[in-house]
Amino acid sequence: MKYRTIGTGPHSRRVSVLALGAMLFGSVTDEKTSFALLDRYAEAGGNFVDTSDNYAFWTDGGQGGQSEELLGRWRRSRGAGDEIVFATKLGARPLAPGTSYTDNPEGLSAKVIREASERSRERLGLERLDLLYAHIDDHTVPQRETVEGFGALVAEGAVGLLGVSNQAVWRVERARALAAAAGLPGYEVLQYQHSYLRSRTDVPGDLFPDGSLGHAGAELAGYLRAEPTLTLVAYSPLLKGAYTRPERLPGDYDHPGTPARLAVLRDVARETGATLNQVVLAWQIGHELPVLPLAGVSSLAQLEENLAAVDLELSAEQRARLDAAH
């Protein structure tokens, strides 16, 4: 396994370059399989596990919590300590069963931040959350309140690092500026969708009526270049299996750049003897920007494939060809 440091200061952590997504653990992925995947990941040196307080509410019409609860059971049964870095999120948990984060989210008020983080610590069995994200934005609450709410948890020792996901870059920068001006810790880890294929970001959706803010595009890349202490955690790096099952490719990837990039990706896979998925992950891990792929799996075969990508070294010429395709 290879490792990278996330965050700065006393709460910085050394994490594996391949993060394990636990979104469906304890719901779609049963407990026995989930435990086996966590065991193998830890055995391989993986130590960066990602979840959220709302995973996976859509599987049973509830409010989520299954993933955190399963991870807590795994931790206790294995005697896992602080060698495993757990990241969780708050802000997108539905306030009532049968609703969603698009119509009834918990939001990012100081009250929610405190209460939701306490519930997450209890489910995970942790005294301190290693990394806590603001899952989605909340325009109904002043950003200062959100910043101060997160900062208080860090000051109390209930949270280590802070992160943010699915927010406009200008909102992230404003929150970080507010934190800096108040002498409070700010967001240091950014979790956005990022893969080798590029999505159109102008397609409106229920959460983003003006086009997606959840994809790591040019503006976010420029932000990372300007702020070298930040880290991008890339969710859905393998596009839910679409590299090997093209019918799964979302419609916002239907544009002229996709065939061109796929052609180069297939060439590099043939040259290296690796799978398409492994080339994508290796491309991210070795990226000039600090990118940590966050991949979910449902079988040991998928996990083994992903783990092998950590040791795949792409040549400078191969990287240049992959980057230039458009």
Side-chain angles (χ1 to χ4, degrees), residues 70-119:
L70 180 136
L71 292 174
R73 292 193 296 273
W74 178 79
R75 282 192 66 259
R76 288 186 288 271
S77 69
R78 302 306 192 256
D82 61 5
E83 71 278 6
I84 305 293
V85 176
F86 289 94
T88 194
K89 315 175 194 72
L90 56 78
R93 178 175 177 266
L95 286 173
T99 63
S100 177
Y101 56 81
T102 58
D103 61 357
N104 196 26
E106 61 188 352
L108 296 174
S109 68
K111 180 175 184 290
V112 164
I113 289 169
R114 177 164 297 279
E115 293 178 354
S117 65
E118 288 174 354
R119 288 193 300 265

mmCIF file of all heavy atoms in Angstrom, residues 70-119:
data_model
loop_
_atom_site.group_PDB
_atom_site.id
_atom_site.type_symbol
_atom_site.label_atom_id
_atom_site.label_comp_id
_atom_site.label_asym_id
_atom_site.label_seq_id
_atom_site.Cartn_x
_atom_site.Cartn_y
_atom_site.Cartn_z
ATOM 1 N N LEU A 70 -22.825 -0.662 10.943
ATOM 2 C CA LEU A 70 -22.037 -1.836 10.582
ATOM 3 C C LEU A 70 -20.549 -1.597 10.851
ATOM 4 O O LEU A 70 -19.859 -2.472 11.398
ATOM 5 C CB LEU A 70 -22.249 -2.208 9.122
ATOM 6 C CG LEU A 70 -21.437 -3.447 8.700
ATOM 7 C CD1 LEU A 70 -22.263 -4.405 7.873
ATOM 8 C CD2 LEU A 70 -20.152 -3.056 7.957
ATOM 9 N N LEU A 71 -20.063 -0.432 10.480
ATOM 10 C CA LEU A 71 -18.648 -0.139 10.723
ATOM 11 C C LEU A 71 -18.335 -0.164 12.215
ATOM 12 O O LEU A 71 -17.263 -0.612 12.631
ATOM 13 C CB LEU A 71 -18.278 1.219 10.113
ATOM 14 C CG LEU A 71 -18.303 1.286 8.585
ATOM 15 C CD1 LEU A 71 -18.058 2.719 8.114
ATOM 16 C CD2 LEU A 71 -17.258 0.349 7.980
ATOM 17 N N GLY A 72 -19.268 0.313 13.028
ATOM 18 C CA GLY A 72 -19.080 0.246 14.472
ATOM 19 C C GLY A 72 -19.002 -1.183 14.968
ATOM 20 O O GLY A 72 -18.162 -1.517 15.820
ATOM 21 N N ARG A 73 -19.862 -2.041 14.433
ATOM 22 C CA ARG A 73 -19.816 -3.467 14.827
ATOM 23 C C ARG A 73 -18.502 -4.107 14.383
ATOM 24 O O ARG A 73 -17.910 -4.912 15.131
ATOM 25 C CB ARG A 73 -21.014 -4.219 14.238
ATOM 26 C CG ARG A 73 -22.348 -3.811 14.842
ATOM 27 C CD ARG A 73 -23.464 -4.786 14.479
ATOM 28 N NE ARG A 73 -23.759 -4.835 13.050
ATOM 29 C CZ ARG A 73 -24.617 -4.023 12.435
ATOM 30 N NH1 ARG A 73 -25.233 -3.060 13.115
ATOM 31 N NH2 ARG A 73 -24.876 -4.169 11.142
ATOM 32 N N TRP A 74 -18.046 -3.776 13.178
ATOM 33 C CA TRP A 74 -16.774 -4.328 12.693
ATOM 34 C C TRP A 74 -15.613 -3.852 13.566
ATOM 35 O O TRP A 74 -14.755 -4.654 13.944
ATOM 36 C CB TRP A 74 -16.547 -3.921 11.236
ATOM 37 C CG TRP A 74 -15.238 -4.416 10.692
ATOM 38 C CD1 TRP A 74 -14.953 -5.683 10.254
ATOM 39 C CD2 TRP A 74 -14.022 -3.661 10.552
ATOM 40 N NE1 TRP A 74 -13.635 -5.762 9.839
ATOM 41 C CE2 TRP A 74 -13.043 -4.529 10.012
ATOM 42 C CE3 TRP A 74 -13.673 -2.334 10.814
ATOM 43 C CZ2 TRP A 74 -11.738 -4.122 9.732
ATOM 44 C CZ3 TRP A 74 -12.373 -1.917 10.544
ATOM 45 C CH2 TRP A 74 -11.433 -2.812 10.017
ATOM 46 N N ARG A 75 -15.594 -2.580 13.893
ATOM 47 C CA ARG A 75 -14.531 -2.040 14.744
ATOM 48 C C ARG A 75 -14.457 -2.792 16.064
ATOM 49 O O ARG A 75 -13.379 -3.211 16.491
ATOM 50 C CB ARG A 75 -14.782 -0.559 15.060
ATOM 51 C CG ARG A 75 -14.433 0.424 13.969
ATOM 52 C CD ARG A 75 -14.455 1.858 14.514
ATOM 53 N NE ARG A 75 -13.397 2.046 15.490
ATOM 54 C CZ ARG A 75 -13.575 2.041 16.803
ATOM 55 N NH1 ARG A 75 -14.783 1.860 17.323
ATOM 56 N NH2 ARG A 75 -12.554 2.215 17.613
ATOM 57 N N ARG A 76 -15.603 -2.936 16.704
ATOM 58 C CA ARG A 76 -15.612 -3.582 18.014
ATOM 59 C C ARG A 76 -15.225 -5.059 17.908
ATOM 60 O O ARG A 76 -14.478 -5.566 18.752
ATOM 61 C CB ARG A 76 -16.994 -3.427 18.654
ATOM 62 C CG ARG A 76 -17.293 -2.017 19.134
ATOM 63 C CD ARG A 76 -18.612 -1.937 19.886
ATOM 64 N NE ARG A 76 -19.761 -2.083 18.997
ATOM 65 C CZ ARG A 76 -20.349 -1.066 18.382
ATOM 66 N NH1 ARG A 76 -19.890 0.159 18.534
ATOM 67 N NH2 ARG A 76 -21.402 -1.278 17.604
ATOM 68 N N SER A 77 -15.710 -5.752 16.903
ATOM 69 C CA SER A 77 -15.431 -7.185 16.780
ATOM 70 C C SER A 77 -13.974 -7.451 16.437
ATOM 71 O O SER A 77 -13.435 -8.503 16.779
ATOM 72 C CB SER A 77 -16.330 -7.810 15.715
ATOM 73 O OG SER A 77 -15.983 -7.360 14.417
ATOM 74 N N ARG A 78 -13.324 -6.503 15.779
ATOM 75 C CA ARG A 78 -11.922 -6.671 15.385
ATOM 76 C C ARG A 78 -10.953 -5.961 16.317
ATOM 77 O O ARG A 78 -9.740 -6.071 16.145
ATOM 78 C CB ARG A 78 -11.697 -6.165 13.951
ATOM 79 C CG ARG A 78 -12.561 -6.831 12.870
ATOM 80 C CD ARG A 78 -12.437 -8.356 12.890
ATOM 81 N NE ARG A 78 -13.026 -8.980 11.724
ATOM 82 C CZ ARG A 78 -14.194 -9.616 11.695
ATOM 83 N NH1 ARG A 78 -14.923 -9.699 12.816
ATOM 84 N NH2 ARG A 78 -14.651 -10.172 10.593
ATOM 85 N N GLY A 79 -11.480 -5.226 17.258
ATOM 86 C CA GLY A 79 -10.607 -4.477 18.163
ATOM 87 C C GLY A 79 -9.823 -3.399 17.453
ATOM 88 O O GLY A 79 -8.697 -3.072 17.847
ATOM 89 N N ALA A 80 -10.405 -2.837 16.390
ATOM 90 C CA ALA A 80 -9.710 -1.816 15.601
ATOM 91 C C ALA A 80 -9.549 -0.539 16.406
ATOM 92 O O ALA A 80 -10.475 -0.102 17.097
ATOM 93 C CB ALA A 80 -10.480 -1.539 14.316
ATOM 94 N N GLY A 81 -8.372 0.050 16.319
ATOM 95 C CA GLY A 81 -8.080 1.289 17.019
ATOM 96 C C GLY A 81 -7.966 2.451 16.063
ATOM 97 O O GLY A 81 -8.566 2.451 14.982
ATOM 98 N N ASP A 82 -7.138 3.427 16.428
ATOM 99 C CA ASP A 82 -7.039 4.623 15.606
ATOM 100 C C ASP A 82 -6.155 4.443 14.383
ATOM 101 O O ASP A 82 -5.869 5.407 13.668
ATOM 102 C CB ASP A 82 -6.559 5.812 16.443
ATOM 103 C CG ASP A 82 -5.176 5.593 17.045
ATOM 104 O OD1 ASP A 82 -4.536 4.565 16.746
ATOM 105 O OD2 ASP A 82 -4.735 6.461 17.820
ATOM 106 N N GLU A 83 -5.698 3.196 14.133
ATOM 107 C CA GLU A 83 -4.951 2.961 12.903
ATOM 108 C C GLU A 83 -5.853 3.045 11.671
ATOM 109 O O GLU A 83 -5.378 3.256 10.549
ATOM 110 C CB GLU A 83 -4.248 1.590 12.941
ATOM 111 C CG GLU A 83 -5.172 0.377 12.838
ATOM 112 C CD GLU A 83 -5.817 -0.038 14.142
ATOM 113 O OE1 GLU A 83 -5.641 0.686 15.147
ATOM 114 O OE2 GLU A 83 -6.491 -1.092 14.158
ATOM 115 N N ILE A 84 -7.158 2.887 11.867
ATOM 116 C CA ILE A 84 -8.124 3.029 10.778
ATOM 117 C C ILE A 84 -8.726 4.433 10.857
ATOM 118 O O ILE A 84 -9.215 4.849 11.914
ATOM 119 C CB ILE A 84 -9.251 1.987 10.858
ATOM 120 C CG1 ILE A 84 -8.666 0.568 10.904
ATOM 121 C CG2 ILE A 84 -10.201 2.144 9.676
ATOM 122 C CD1 ILE A 84 -7.966 0.133 9.643
ATOM 123 N N VAL A 85 -8.655 5.161 9.757
ATOM 124 C CA VAL A 85 -9.197 6.514 9.688
ATOM 125 C C VAL A 85 -10.612 6.439 9.117
ATOM 126 O O VAL A 85 -10.808 6.013 7.980
ATOM 127 C CB VAL A 85 -8.309 7.417 8.813
ATOM 128 C CG1 VAL A 85 -8.927 8.804 8.663
ATOM 129 C CG2 VAL A 85 -6.905 7.506 9.412
ATOM 130 N N PHE A 86 -11.583 6.838 9.917
ATOM 131 C CA PHE A 86 -12.976 6.823 9.477
ATOM 132 C C PHE A 86 -13.416 8.244 9.130
ATOM 133 O O PHE A 86 -13.228 9.168 9.924
ATOM 134 C CB PHE A 86 -13.895 6.261 10.566
ATOM 135 C CG PHE A 86 -13.741 4.783 10.774
ATOM 136 C CD1 PHE A 86 -12.881 4.295 11.756
ATOM 137 C CD2 PHE A 86 -14.449 3.887 9.994
ATOM 138 C CE1 PHE A 86 -12.732 2.928 11.957
ATOM 139 C CE2 PHE A 86 -14.307 2.522 10.185
ATOM 140 C CZ PHE A 86 -13.448 2.034 11.156
ATOM 141 N N ALA A 87 -13.991 8.378 7.949
ATOM 142 C CA ALA A 87 -14.553 9.657 7.522
ATOM 143 C C ALA A 87 -16.056 9.497 7.401
ATOM 144 O O ALA A 87 -16.540 8.507 6.843
ATOM 145 C CB ALA A 87 -13.959 10.076 6.180
ATOM 146 N N THR A 88 -16.804 10.448 7.922
ATOM 147 C CA THR A 88 -18.257 10.421 7.749
ATOM 148 C C THR A 88 -18.740 11.819 7.402
ATOM 149 O O THR A 88 -17.970 12.786 7.402
ATOM 150 C CB THR A 88 -18.971 9.856 8.986
ATOM 151 O OG1 THR A 88 -20.332 9.554 8.645
ATOM 152 C CG2 THR A 88 -18.925 10.814 10.161
ATOM 153 N N LYS A 89 -20.028 11.913 7.088
ATOM 154 C CA LYS A 89 -20.595 13.167 6.604
ATOM 155 C C LYS A 89 -21.924 13.431 7.310
ATOM 156 O O LYS A 89 -22.589 12.506 7.763
ATOM 157 C CB LYS A 89 -20.843 13.092 5.083
ATOM 158 C CG LYS A 89 -19.702 12.488 4.279
ATOM 159 C CD LYS A 89 -20.068 12.338 2.817
ATOM 160 C CE LYS A 89 -19.088 11.450 2.087
ATOM 161 N NZ LYS A 89 -19.205 10.016 2.457
ATOM 162 N N LEU A 90 -22.294 14.696 7.334
ATOM 163 C CA LEU A 90 -23.604 15.079 7.852
ATOM 164 C C LEU A 90 -24.168 16.206 6.998
ATOM 165 O O LEU A 90 -23.460 16.830 6.218
ATOM 166 C CB LEU A 90 -23.520 15.481 9.324
ATOM 167 C CG LEU A 90 -22.555 16.597 9.751
ATOM 168 C CD1 LEU A 90 -23.093 17.990 9.425
ATOM 169 C CD2 LEU A 90 -22.274 16.503 11.248
ATOM 170 N N GLY A 91 -25.453 16.445 7.141
ATOM 171 C CA GLY A 91 -26.107 17.518 6.409
ATOM 172 C C GLY A 91 -27.119 17.044 5.394
ATOM 173 O O GLY A 91 -28.013 17.801 4.998
ATOM 174 N N ALA A 92 -27.003 15.773 4.946
ATOM 175 C CA ALA A 92 -27.896 15.264 3.897
ATOM 176 C C ALA A 92 -28.794 14.137 4.395
ATOM 177 O O ALA A 92 -29.411 13.443 3.584
ATOM 178 C CB ALA A 92 -27.085 14.791 2.693
ATOM 179 N N ARG A 93 -28.874 13.955 5.691
ATOM 180 C CA ARG A 93 -29.771 12.924 6.234
ATOM 181 C C ARG A 93 -31.208 13.427 6.150
ATOM 182 O O ARG A 93 -31.511 14.546 6.572
ATOM 183 C CB ARG A 93 -29.405 12.637 7.683
ATOM 184 C CG ARG A 93 -30.289 11.615 8.396
ATOM 185 C CD ARG A 93 -29.720 11.362 9.790
ATOM 186 N NE ARG A 93 -30.539 10.452 10.577
ATOM 187 C CZ ARG A 93 -31.490 10.845 11.434
ATOM 188 N NH1 ARG A 93 -31.712 12.145 11.613
ATOM 189 N NH2 ARG A 93 -32.179 9.964 12.112
ATOM 190 N N PRO A 94 -32.132 12.615 5.603
ATOM 191 C CA PRO A 94 -33.534 13.052 5.567
ATOM 192 C C PRO A 94 -34.083 13.221 6.978
ATOM 193 O O PRO A 94 -33.812 12.409 7.864
ATOM 194 C CB PRO A 94 -34.245 11.906 4.834
ATOM 195 C CG PRO A 94 -33.174 11.149 4.135
ATOM 196 C CD PRO A 94 -31.958 11.293 4.981
ATOM 197 N N LEU A 95 -34.871 14.252 7.183
ATOM 198 C CA LEU A 95 -35.422 14.517 8.508
ATOM 199 C C LEU A 95 -36.571 13.587 8.870
ATOM 200 O O LEU A 95 -36.949 13.499 10.044
ATOM 201 C CB LEU A 95 -35.887 15.976 8.604
ATOM 202 C CG LEU A 95 -34.763 17.005 8.723
ATOM 203 C CD1 LEU A 95 -35.331 18.413 8.648
ATOM 204 C CD2 LEU A 95 -33.982 16.814 10.016
ATOM 205 N N ALA A 96 -37.124 12.908 7.875
ATOM 206 C CA ALA A 96 -38.224 11.978 8.141
ATOM 207 C C ALA A 96 -38.156 10.824 7.154
ATOM 208 O O ALA A 96 -37.723 10.998 6.011
ATOM 209 C CB ALA A 96 -39.566 12.692 8.023
ATOM 210 N N PRO A 97 -38.563 9.634 7.571
ATOM 211 C CA PRO A 97 -38.610 8.501 6.640
ATOM 212 C C PRO A 97 -39.483 8.831 5.438
ATOM 213 O O PRO A 97 -40.484 9.550 5.547
ATOM 214 C CB PRO A 97 -39.230 7.386 7.490
ATOM 215 C CG PRO A 97 -38.920 7.756 8.901
ATOM 216 C CD PRO A 97 -38.988 9.251 8.936
ATOM 217 N N GLY A 98 -39.078 8.320 4.296
ATOM 218 C CA GLY A 98 -39.846 8.549 3.085
ATOM 219 C C GLY A 98 -39.516 9.849 2.380
ATOM 220 O O GLY A 98 -40.081 10.143 1.331
ATOM 221 N N THR A 99 -38.592 10.647 2.951
ATOM 222 C CA THR A 99 -38.151 11.881 2.300
ATOM 223 C C THR A 99 -36.706 11.720 1.864
ATOM 224 O O THR A 99 -36.111 10.653 2.012
ATOM 225 C CB THR A 99 -38.320 13.093 3.232
ATOM 226 O OG1 THR A 99 -37.485 12.916 4.393
ATOM 227 C CG2 THR A 99 -39.755 13.238 3.679
ATOM 228 N N SER A 100 -36.118 12.800 1.340
ATOM 229 C CA SER A 100 -34.767 12.708 0.803
ATOM 230 C C SER A 100 -33.980 13.964 1.129
ATOM 231 O O SER A 100 -34.519 14.919 1.711
ATOM 232 C CB SER A 100 -34.829 12.512 -0.724
ATOM 233 O OG SER A 100 -33.540 12.496 -1.298
ATOM 234 N N TYR A 101 -32.705 13.978 0.735
ATOM 235 C CA TYR A 101 -31.888 15.169 0.961
ATOM 236 C C TYR A 101 -32.236 16.291 -0.010
ATOM 237 O O TYR A 101 -31.829 17.436 0.189
ATOM 238 C CB TYR A 101 -30.389 14.838 0.858
ATOM 239 C CG TYR A 101 -29.964 14.190 -0.432
ATOM 240 C CD1 TYR A 101 -29.725 14.943 -1.573
ATOM 241 C CD2 TYR A 101 -29.791 12.818 -0.508
ATOM 242 C CE1 TYR A 101 -29.342 14.345 -2.763
ATOM 243 C CE2 TYR A 101 -29.408 12.212 -1.681
ATOM 244 C CZ TYR A 101 -29.183 12.985 -2.807
ATOM 245 O OH TYR A 101 -28.797 12.382 -3.983
ATOM 246 N N THR A 102 -32.994 15.997 -1.050
ATOM 247 C CA THR A 102 -33.382 17.041 -1.993
ATOM 248 C C THR A 102 -34.593 17.831 -1.514
ATOM 249 O O THR A 102 -34.765 18.987 -1.899
ATOM 250 C CB THR A 102 -33.688 16.443 -3.377
ATOM 251 O OG1 THR A 102 -34.728 15.462 -3.249
ATOM 252 C CG2 THR A 102 -32.453 15.798 -3.979
ATOM 253 N N ASP A 103 -35.430 17.220 -0.696
ATOM 254 C CA ASP A 103 -36.646 17.907 -0.252
ATOM 255 C C ASP A 103 -36.750 18.104 1.251
ATOM 256 O O ASP A 103 -37.548 18.926 1.707
ATOM 257 C CB ASP A 103 -37.890 17.165 -0.753
ATOM 258 C CG ASP A 103 -37.983 15.727 -0.230
ATOM 259 O OD1 ASP A 103 -37.059 15.291 0.477
ATOM 260 O OD2 ASP A 103 -38.974 15.047 -0.554
ATOM 261 N N ASN A 104 -35.927 17.379 2.041
ATOM 262 C CA ASN A 104 -36.079 17.467 3.492
ATOM 263 C C ASN A 104 -34.766 17.129 4.211
ATOM 264 O O ASN A 104 -34.730 16.266 5.084
ATOM 265 C CB ASN A 104 -37.184 16.509 3.942
ATOM 266 C CG ASN A 104 -37.674 16.789 5.348
ATOM 267 O OD1 ASN A 104 -37.583 17.907 5.843
ATOM 268 N ND2 ASN A 104 -38.188 15.753 6.001
ATOM 269 N N PRO A 105 -33.668 17.817 3.874
ATOM 270 C CA PRO A 105 -32.379 17.484 4.493
ATOM 271 C C PRO A 105 -32.229 18.068 5.886
ATOM 272 O O PRO A 105 -32.866 19.077 6.224
ATOM 273 C CB PRO A 105 -31.367 18.132 3.535
ATOM 274 C CG PRO A 105 -32.100 19.341 3.027
ATOM 275 C CD PRO A 105 -33.539 18.917 2.900
ATOM 276 N N GLU A 106 -31.360 17.439 6.675
ATOM 277 C CA GLU A 106 -31.136 17.942 8.031
ATOM 278 C C GLU A 106 -30.443 19.299 8.023
ATOM 279 O O GLU A 106 -30.637 20.110 8.931
ATOM 280 C CB GLU A 106 -30.296 16.938 8.833
ATOM 281 C CG GLU A 106 -28.919 16.677 8.270
ATOM 282 C CD GLU A 106 -28.189 15.544 8.975
ATOM 283 O OE1 GLU A 106 -28.705 15.062 9.994
ATOM 284 O OE2 GLU A 106 -27.121 15.144 8.490
ATOM 285 N N GLY A 107 -29.609 19.564 7.021
ATOM 286 C CA GLY A 107 -28.967 20.869 6.917
ATOM 287 C C GLY A 107 -27.715 21.007 7.766
ATOM 288 O O GLY A 107 -27.208 20.032 8.335
ATOM 289 N N LEU A 108 -27.214 22.245 7.846
ATOM 290 C CA LEU A 108 -25.921 22.498 8.482
ATOM 291 C C LEU A 108 -26.005 23.562 9.576
ATOM 292 O O LEU A 108 -25.100 24.369 9.747
ATOM 293 C CB LEU A 108 -24.892 22.928 7.419
ATOM 294 C CG LEU A 108 -24.537 21.894 6.354
ATOM 295 C CD1 LEU A 108 -23.626 22.505 5.294
ATOM 296 C CD2 LEU A 108 -23.870 20.665 6.984
ATOM 297 N N SER A 109 -27.094 23.555 10.330
ATOM 298 C CA SER A 109 -27.180 24.463 11.485
ATOM 299 C C SER A 109 -26.247 23.975 12.581
ATOM 300 O O SER A 109 -25.833 22.804 12.598
ATOM 301 C CB SER A 109 -28.606 24.521 12.024
ATOM 302 O OG SER A 109 -28.969 23.274 12.606
ATOM 303 N N ALA A 110 -25.902 24.841 13.504
ATOM 304 C CA ALA A 110 -25.031 24.453 14.612
ATOM 305 C C ALA A 110 -25.652 23.316 15.417
ATOM 306 O O ALA A 110 -24.948 22.395 15.865
ATOM 307 C CB ALA A 110 -24.763 25.660 15.503
ATOM 308 N N LYS A 111 -26.960 23.364 15.592
ATOM 309 C CA LYS A 111 -27.658 22.317 16.346
ATOM 310 C C LYS A 111 -27.534 20.970 15.640
ATOM 311 O O LYS A 111 -27.224 19.950 16.279
ATOM 312 C CB LYS A 111 -29.125 22.696 16.514
ATOM 313 C CG LYS A 111 -29.976 21.686 17.288
ATOM 314 C CD LYS A 111 -31.384 22.233 17.493
ATOM 315 C CE LYS A 111 -32.239 21.302 18.353
ATOM 316 N NZ LYS A 111 -32.570 20.054 17.630
ATOM 317 N N VAL A 112 -27.765 20.951 14.338
ATOM 318 C CA VAL A 112 -27.658 19.699 13.579
ATOM 319 C C VAL A 112 -26.228 19.181 13.603
ATOM 320 O O VAL A 112 -25.986 17.979 13.797
ATOM 321 C CB VAL A 112 -28.130 19.904 12.124
ATOM 322 C CG1 VAL A 112 -27.653 18.753 11.239
ATOM 323 C CG2 VAL A 112 -29.644 20.001 12.070
ATOM 324 N N ILE A 113 -25.261 20.068 13.404
ATOM 325 C CA ILE A 113 -23.862 19.642 13.373
ATOM 326 C C ILE A 113 -23.492 18.939 14.677
ATOM 327 O O ILE A 113 -22.855 17.881 14.675
ATOM 328 C CB ILE A 113 -22.940 20.848 13.104
ATOM 329 C CG1 ILE A 113 -23.113 21.317 11.649
ATOM 330 C CG2 ILE A 113 -21.484 20.504 13.387
ATOM 331 C CD1 ILE A 113 -22.451 22.642 11.349
ATOM 332 N N ARG A 114 -23.913 19.507 15.794
ATOM 333 C CA ARG A 114 -23.586 18.895 17.085
ATOM 334 C C ARG A 114 -24.323 17.567 17.281
ATOM 335 O O ARG A 114 -23.723 16.553 17.629
ATOM 336 C CB ARG A 114 -23.922 19.860 18.230
ATOM 337 C CG ARG A 114 -23.675 19.284 19.619
ATOM 338 C CD ARG A 114 -23.641 20.361 20.656
ATOM 339 N NE ARG A 114 -22.544 21.295 20.429
ATOM 340 C CZ ARG A 114 -21.277 21.068 20.783
ATOM 341 N NH1 ARG A 114 -20.947 19.928 21.400
ATOM 342 N NH2 ARG A 114 -20.345 21.964 20.542
ATOM 343 N N GLU A 115 -25.628 17.582 17.046
ATOM 344 C CA GLU A 115 -26.419 16.378 17.312
ATOM 345 C C GLU A 115 -26.088 15.256 16.328
ATOM 346 O O GLU A 115 -25.991 14.082 16.729
ATOM 347 C CB GLU A 115 -27.906 16.722 17.267
ATOM 348 C CG GLU A 115 -28.337 17.637 18.406
ATOM 349 C CD GLU A 115 -29.805 18.022 18.323
ATOM 350 O OE1 GLU A 115 -30.464 17.674 17.309
ATOM 351 O OE2 GLU A 115 -30.302 18.676 19.268
ATOM 352 N N ALA A 116 -25.928 15.580 15.050
ATOM 353 C CA ALA A 116 -25.631 14.554 14.052
ATOM 354 C C ALA A 116 -24.257 13.951 14.290
ATOM 355 O O ALA A 116 -24.067 12.740 14.147
ATOM 356 C CB ALA A 116 -25.715 15.142 12.643
ATOM 357 N N SER A 117 -23.286 14.776 14.665
ATOM 358 C CA SER A 117 -21.940 14.248 14.921
ATOM 359 C C SER A 117 -21.941 13.335 16.145
ATOM 360 O O SER A 117 -21.217 12.328 16.176
ATOM 361 C CB SER A 117 -20.939 15.396 15.104
ATOM 362 O OG SER A 117 -21.232 16.162 16.264
ATOM 363 N N GLU A 118 -22.745 13.669 17.139
ATOM 364 C CA GLU A 118 -22.846 12.808 18.322
ATOM 365 C C GLU A 118 -23.442 11.453 17.951
ATOM 366 O O GLU A 118 -22.975 10.401 18.423
ATOM 367 C CB GLU A 118 -23.697 13.491 19.391
ATOM 368 C CG GLU A 118 -22.999 14.676 20.055
ATOM 369 C CD GLU A 118 -23.905 15.435 21.006
ATOM 370 O OE1 GLU A 118 -25.117 15.101 21.063
ATOM 371 O OE2 GLU A 118 -23.422 16.366 21.676
ATOM 372 N N ARG A 119 -24.470 11.457 17.103
ATOM 373 C CA ARG A 119 -25.060 10.194 16.663
ATOM 374 C C ARG A 119 -24.055 9.365 15.863
ATOM 375 O O ARG A 119 -23.970 8.141 16.027
ATOM 376 C CB ARG A 119 -26.312 10.455 15.814
ATOM 377 C CG ARG A 119 -27.518 10.966 16.600
ATOM 378 C CD ARG A 119 -28.792 10.892 15.761
ATOM 379 N NE ARG A 119 -28.689 11.700 14.555
ATOM 380 C CZ ARG A 119 -29.143 12.953 14.450
ATOM 381 N NH1 ARG A 119 -29.699 13.545 15.494
ATOM 382 N NH2 ARG A 119 -29.037 13.607 13.307
#
